[in-house]
Amino acid sequence: MPLTTTDLLDAEYFTDTAQPSFVVDELTLRPWSADDAPAVFEAFEDSGIQRWHARIAVSMAEVRAWLEAWAKAWNEAAHANWAVIDTDTGTLVGRASLRDIRLTDGQAAAAYWTVPAARGRGVAPRAVAALTDWALNQRGFHRIELEHSVRNTQSCRVAAKLGFALEGTRRSAGLHADGWHDMHLHARIRGD
Ligand SMILES: CC(C)(COP(=O)(O)OP(=O)(O)OC[C@H]1O[C@@H](n2cnc3c(N)ncnc32)[C@H](O)[C@@H]1OP(=O)(O)O)[C@@H](O)C(=O)NCCC(=O)NCCS
């Protein structure tokens, strides 16, 4: 059944264009590479990442498969995933993503984690701000959502620093290892 609207985003941009990199202060956001596997495996040994992303890494082979999927998702216009690197040391400090890209109405969801040693210096907010500015102001996205458990106060601070308005609480919407959590829905729309 045909839509009454035309797609806001062009799938060919993702299939025909290499994923961009960004530099923000001392941080470089770049596409993932297979060489990142040991650092991602180590990041997923952190109980905070395991808790809030409801996932563990069982082997290096599994992490390599994630990295392959994260890279491929760009050309499929499905998800856009970046490694966040400390430019001076070359070490991985986090992940920032625009997930669940919808070409029809130009929407996506911001997701992120940082490694324990890099927390508390604004890595996640600065990385996601760069992606959100690019998506909304350069690439024609209309709305970026950000969802986190109401119990994850650190993630709520990231949303606040990003200026993502709190739109409400989705009741019992996120399944975690300790059960269902209410989830805060934040969003930024173009022009905010
Ligand atoms: C949530 C998270 C991404 C924040 O990243 P970050 O780069 O540390 O972001 P910020 O530096 O802006 O810190 C955010 C808040 O974390 C808290 N924080 C500060 N230093 C911290 C530290 N060393 N360790 C843990 N939390 C710290 C503070 O409450 C801070 O807010 P404030 O600056 O208003 O005091 C990071 O803590 C993380 O990866 N946690 C585990 C996974 C996760 O929660 N992912 C998000 C799922 S929605």
Side-chain angles (χ1 to χ4, degrees):
M1 193 182 299
L3 294 174
T4 57
T5 54
T6 47
D7 283 2
L8 211 62
L9 302 176
D10 195 357
E12 270 109 56
Y13 171 73
F14 296 93
T15 49
D16 299 351
T17 312
Q19 186 175 343
S21 295
F22 304 93
V23 174
V24 190
D25 308 324
E26 82 284 15
L27 307 172
T28 300
L29 280 66
R30 59 143 172 85
W32 291 96
S33 104
D35 295 343
D36 295 316
V40 172
F41 186 84
E42 192 183 330
F44 270 81
E45 289 186 319
D46 169 55
S47 60
I49 292 179
Q50 291 179 4
R51 180 177 188 203
W52 299 118
H53 296 270
R55 171 177 295 231
I56 55 169
V58 291
S59 69
M60 199 68 81
E62 184 187 26
V63 172
R64 280 197 207 95
W66 292 353
L67 293 171
E68 212 173 291
W70 292 350
K72 220 170 114 203
W74 169 267
N75 289 122
E76 293 168 347
H79 313 281
N81 299 291
W82 283 267
V84 185
I85 306 293
D86 182 317
T87 313
D88 296 333
T89 62
T91 52
L92 178 75
V93 289
R95 175 191 183 199
S97 308
L98 295 174
R99 301 180 44 202
D100 302 324
I101 294 170
R102 293 193 340 208
L103 300 174
T104 48
D105 54 6
Q107 302 202 27
Y112 43 82
W113 49 253
T114 54
V115 301
R119 290 182 190 152
R121 49 182 171 100
V123 169
R126 284 183 290 149
V128 176
L131 298 185
T132 308
D133 289 345
W134 168 80
L136 295 175
N137 301 329
Q138 293 181 43
R139 284 299 347 138
F141 281 75
H142 173 68
R143 172 182 165 93
I144 307 295
E145 295 190 345
L146 187 170
E147 196 174 72
H148 64 81
S149 164
V150 297
R151 299 182 214 173
N152 191 344
T153 50
Q154 291 153 359
S155 192
C156 203
R157 286 294 303 138
V158 173
K161 290 179 191 184
L162 283 163
F164 276 56
L166 177 61
E167 296 187 335
T169 302
R170 298 179 64 231
R171 293 174 307 138
S172 203
L175 182 57
H176 291 69
D178 60 351
W180 292 98
H181 291 199
D182 290 352
M183 303 292 287
H184 268 174
L185 174 65
H186 300 254
R188 191 176 140 197
I189 59 174
R190 200 191 310 172
D192 271 354

